[in-house]
Amino acid sequence: MSLLEKIKSLSQAHSAKTVAIRRHIHANPELSYQEVNTVKYVEEQLRSFGITNITRMAGTGLVAEVAGKNPTRKTIALRADMDALPIVEANDVPYKSTNPGVMHACGHDVHTSSLLGTARILNEVKDQFEGTVRFLFQPGEEKNPGGASYMIRDGALENPRPVGIIGQHVFPLLPAGKIGFREGMYMASADEIYLRVIGKGGHGAAPELAIDPIVIASHIIIALQQIISRNASPKQPTVLTFGDIVGKGATNIIPDEVRIAGTFRAMNETWRASGLQKIQKMAESLAEGMGGRCEVEISHGYPYLENNPELTRRLRVAAEAYVGQENVHDIDITLGAEDFAYYSQVIPASFYRLGTRNDAKGLTSYVHTPTFNIDEDALAIGPGLMAWMAVNELAG
Ligand SMILES: [Zn+2]
Ligand SMILES: [Zn+2]
């Protein structure tokens, strides 16, 4: 039996166990940076597979390794995230969340169980590949500053540095059985912008005695959109959205201040830095020119995610061998953000999508919704596919 056939048959044979692990994690979701029981469970599962090279890090994260023959030849890293979201689950399933108000609505239960399955398979075929596979189970993908940044801080990409890192994410836009790839530009940086426009409150009928922060804020919002349309390259997707504006005056009261909050996203780190500067300068100087003041606070989020083209191309070839060319698809860029991007700033990285949709079973909800769920048939593929990609990278 070829290694490909062996990995496929193991992935299939273990799929009931992978689903059981997924359901356990799904029923016991934990919020970002609070994955105490999840990481404990992950460690127990790894040990039950006979994997003992385990290091806890990043608070509630861990790294495990499986060494093949000639283990120092090369190391490849595989990553899963473990945190859930503050959402009340609306699915009526036997493995429904038992932690009120917390739900695995982004599929991180799937990523974790799938990577556990991958670890189990690779441990079972470790005499058939050369090099080492490092498994990163990270906390806090859904919340700034991102668990990935803590994993890197704690050395997850050191001693030795892996030649690359691969991440998998569920994808409700693609049917189960299909896999999505994108070379190069893939996901956006995401920064939060908080503006406090300060004027001077007064009677609505006597604006000459006040400094109206509502009017200043209105100008700022319009002017900032022009930074996007006039300063950003039309060849680089970018977006600025203000979804929150509060100015608590009344029909006849000019308030003292207005607060505005929004998100700025970019697909290029140089533009990201200069765009943020321009936003700050424009808001401050416009407010000043109109007699008020604007305090600008920027909360830096995840960086831009670039899928290393060579690595992604090789993974795609491996995936075509695994699921068939007809089941491998190109996917579009998204201005969503992912903390996997932090890894891509250190080593070649590739983030691909595991199809999880099934229209016939009514599994069509998008991630981050109370009815999100997956077609668990995807879990027969996920573990073996990633194992196959890993051994291919080590072989090259
Ligand atoms: Zn998410
Ligand atoms: Zn996610």
Side-chain angles (χ1 to χ4, degrees):
M1 201 190 274
S2 72
L3 184 53
L4 171 59
E5 283 162 6
K6 176 104 199 237
I7 287 173
K8 265 190 181 178
S9 75
L10 286 172
S11 191
Q12 194 66 47
H14 297 333
S15 64
K17 171 74 176 173
T18 309
V19 167
I21 291 174
R22 184 257 164 166
R23 290 183 175 196
H24 175 88
I25 298 171
H26 190 90
N28 298 280
E30 293 175 297
L31 290 173
S32 307
Y33 309 108
Q34 298 170 31
E35 305 90 339
V36 179
N37 294 321
T38 308
V39 73
K40 190 162 161 266
Y41 180 74
V42 166
E43 178 164 355
E44 283 164 12
Q45 292 302 318
L46 288 168
R47 291 195 187 279
S48 79
F49 303 150
I51 297 167
T52 53
N53 187 347
I54 297 169
T55 313
R56 293 281 192 110
M57 63 172 67
T60 46
L62 73 75
V63 161
E65 281 190 356
V66 168
K69 294 177 295 182
N70 195 3
T72 56
R73 188 177 166 268
K74 218 186 222 188
T75 296
I76 183 83
L78 311 177
R79 171 271 204 173
D81 41 13
M82 302 187 290
D83 56 327
L85 287 159
I87 291 177
V88 179
E89 177 157 20
N91 292 312
D92 185 18
V93 288
Y95 51 92
K96 184 175 179 168
S97 169
T98 57
N99 185 0
V102 183
M103 176 189 174
H104 270 294
C106 199
H108 299 185
D109 52 339
V110 180
H111 310 158
T112 300
S113 56
S114 182
L115 190 58
L116 280 169
T118 302
R120 185 181 181 188
I121 293 167
L122 287 170
N123 193 50
E124 287 168 342
V125 300
K126 64 184 169 201
D127 57 340
Q128 293 177 59
F129 65 86
E130 286 193 29
T132 296
V133 186
R134 187 178 297 169
F135 304 91
L136 276 61
F137 291 90
Q138 69 153 81
E141 193 286 321
E142 297 286 2
K143 196 171 175 185
N144 282 356
S149 66
Y150 293 147
M151 296 291 282
I152 293 166
R153 177 199 67 191
D154 290 357
L157 299 184
E158 307 300 331
N159 302 318
R161 175 161 287 194
V163 292
I165 184 165
I166 309 169
Q168 170 187 253
H169 203 290
V170 299
F171 200 43
L173 299 182
L174 211 54
K178 297 191 179 291
I179 308 296
F181 289 93
R182 172 116 202 155
E183 279 177 31
M185 185 190 288
Y186 184 42
M187 293 179 79
S189 61
D191 300 305
E192 291 172 2
I193 297 177
Y194 298 91
L195 304 179
R196 183 171 171 231
V197 181
I198 302 152
K200 182 167 164 273
H203 197 295
E208 76 279 17
L209 302 176
I211 297 165
D212 188 345
I214 301 268
V215 172
I216 299 174
S218 307
H219 276 278
I220 287 175
I221 289 172
I222 300 295
L224 293 185
Q225 287 305 328
Q226 288 164 16
I227 288 179
I228 299 299
S229 78
R230 298 295 84 188
N231 295 103
S233 162
K235 289 173 278 187
Q236 296 267 359
T238 185
V239 67
L240 176 67
T241 294
F242 289 105
D244 187 19
I245 172 163
V246 179
K248 288 202 179 276
T251 54
N252 54 1
I253 300 169
I254 295 167
D256 281 321
E257 64 173 55
V258 172
R259 286 174 185 267
I260 311 169
T263 180
F264 172 60
R265 296 177 181 230
M267 304 291 271
N268 174 300
E269 288 293 316
T270 308
W271 161 245
R272 177 192 185 190
S274 85
L276 286 172
Q277 260 179 12
K278 284 181 165 61
I279 287 167
Q280 171 148 12
K281 183 143 194 247
M282 177 71 86
E284 286 171 353
S285 54
L286 247 178
E288 201 197 316
M290 296 181 76
R293 209 149 53 78
C294 182
E295 292 172 2
V296 180
E297 192 193 313
I298 293 163
S299 168
H300 292 272
Y302 305 159
Y304 155 67
L305 170 58
E306 159 113 357
N307 279 334
N308 179 273
E310 292 77 27
L311 172 60
T312 306
R313 226 168 286 148
R314 290 194 302 271
L315 297 183
R316 194 187 168 114
V317 171
E320 286 176 354
Y322 197 94
V323 296
Q325 211 170 359
E326 68 282 9
N327 289 317
V328 174
H329 295 259
D330 281 320
I331 46 174
D332 207 355
I333 60 164
T334 162
L335 275 86
E338 238 295 333
D339 81 342
F340 185 78
Y342 283 114
Y343 303 117
S344 79
Q345 298 205 319
V346 183
I347 57 175
S350 189
F351 194 63
Y352 69 93
R353 298 284 180 158
L354 177 72
T356 53
R357 183 188 187 90
N358 189 319
D359 287 279
K361 295 181 187 169
L363 299 166
T364 58
S365 292
Y366 205 61
V367 289
H368 290 218
T369 68
T371 52
F372 171 73
N373 202 357
I374 67 148
D375 181 352
E376 288 177 327
D377 285 353
L379 278 172
I381 300 168
L385 173 63
M386 203 185 246
W388 174 242
M389 288 175 170
V391 297
N392 269 275
E393 280 308 299
L394 290 174

